[in-house]
Amino acid sequence: MGLFNKESCIICNGKTNALTKAKASSGVVCSSCLSLCSPGFIRNIGNKTTTDIKEHIEYVKENQLLYNSFQATDTVGKLFFVDKVNQRFYIPVPAATLYNKIPIVYSFDNIVDYELVVDGESYTKGGASIGRALIGGAIFGGAGAIIGGSTGKRKQNEVIKKMYIKISLKHPYDSYTEIPLISTEVKKGAFIYNTMTDAANKILALLDSMVASEPVAIPSASAADELLKYKQLLDCGALTQEEFDTKKKELLNL
Ligand SMILES: [Zn+2]
């Protein structure tokens, strides 16, 4: 491997272009192979092996099928697409994306939590385990309320530069995904600001409803097993009668 020899791609063995290749742990990957990977995967490609990348490319092919058959039940503009029947969602890939433009289709189960971030500050955070918490007293009501409800440090007529919703994920390839709302300086109260505030409200409400979805019912056989365990805990005094009754109701869907 002399200084002037171009390294070939570890996936396809093709030639690589110095400007568009990426460095993985076992060598370089050409731009056409990168175009088969998701953006979240490419962010972390530095520590991926040839096998990791090949597996990921297979995953992306399957994702393409999910995307092609996606039937949205709820949408917010062109920002957020949700299929409540199959419990899936995706966020369109920005047009400027260098590589794969097919968005990853996530399942509701992938969501850990989500937050609205305005100029680096988290304004509201939600998730299955925490419900929706409002940060800094921000009441997320009508247009303009995001900032108006904050700590009062901010002045009227201020501008904001960046607003997005970040969704943290438990997913093999993406630890998070983002819905970009504002990425250029806008005045509070301007049309784009109001439109995007409104969109943020709708997306957060949708996310709230997505994580609040009914959990899968426990099959009766395992419910009986569980109940037996709780009965033993009751008998040995680890649970009170009241705690046992509560569990029993839960397990038997009473
Ligand atoms: Zn290649």
Side-chain angles (χ1 to χ4, degrees), residues 8-16 28-34:
S8 44
C9 171
I10 54 172
I11 305 301
C12 70
N13 267 319
K15 282 183 183 164
T16 55
V28 296
V29 183
C30 75
S31 57
S32 51
C33 289
L34 286 174

Side-chain angles (χ1 to χ4, degrees), residues 112-126:
V112 176
D113 57 36
Y114 41 91
E115 60 184 319
L116 175 74
V117 183
V118 183
D119 285 348
E121 266 186 76
S122 183
Y123 272 81
T124 180
K125 196 162 185 164

Side-chain angles (χ1 to χ4, degrees), residues 13 16 30 45 68 74 106 109-110 115 117-118 137 173 177 180 237:
N13 267 319
T16 55
C30 75
I45 203 162
N68 290 348
D74 297 77
Y106 300 109
D109 289 341
N110 292 142
E115 60 184 319
V117 183
V118 183
Y173 298 115
T177 183

Side-chain angles (χ1 to χ4, degrees), residues 108-223:
F108 289 7
D109 289 341
N110 292 142
I111 302 172
V112 176
D113 57 36
Y114 41 91
E115 60 184 319
L116 175 74
V117 183
V118 183
D119 285 348
E121 266 186 76
S122 183
Y123 272 81
T124 180
K125 196 162 185 164
S129 53
I130 56 176
R132 179 89 79 81
L134 294 168
I135 295 165
I139 303 305
F140 203 57
I146 309 174
I147 291 189
S150 189
T151 50
K153 288 178 294 190
R154 291 163 181 271
K155 298 187 192 82
Q156 290 292 317
N157 293 332
E158 72 171 312
V159 293
I160 67 166
K161 291 178 180 146
K162 200 168 161 75
M163 176 160 91
Y164 61 94
I165 291 170
K166 179 176 179 176
I167 304 175
S168 298
L169 303 166
K170 43 178 192 285
H171 181 270
Y173 298 115
D174 298 332
S175 59
Y176 68 92
T177 183
E178 286 176 1
I179 307 170
L181 298 167
I182 290 173
S183 45
T184 155
E185 195 170 282
V186 296
K187 251 188 185 169
K188 182 179 160 186
F191 175 75
I192 183 87
Y193 175 87
N194 291 341
T195 307
M196 287 306 175
T197 306
D198 188 44
N201 270 318
K202 287 178 179 154
I203 293 167
L204 289 167
L206 256 176
L207 282 164
D208 288 347
S209 71
M210 287 155 63
V211 298
S213 302
E214 286 294 305
V216 178
I218 303 164
S220 54
S222 74

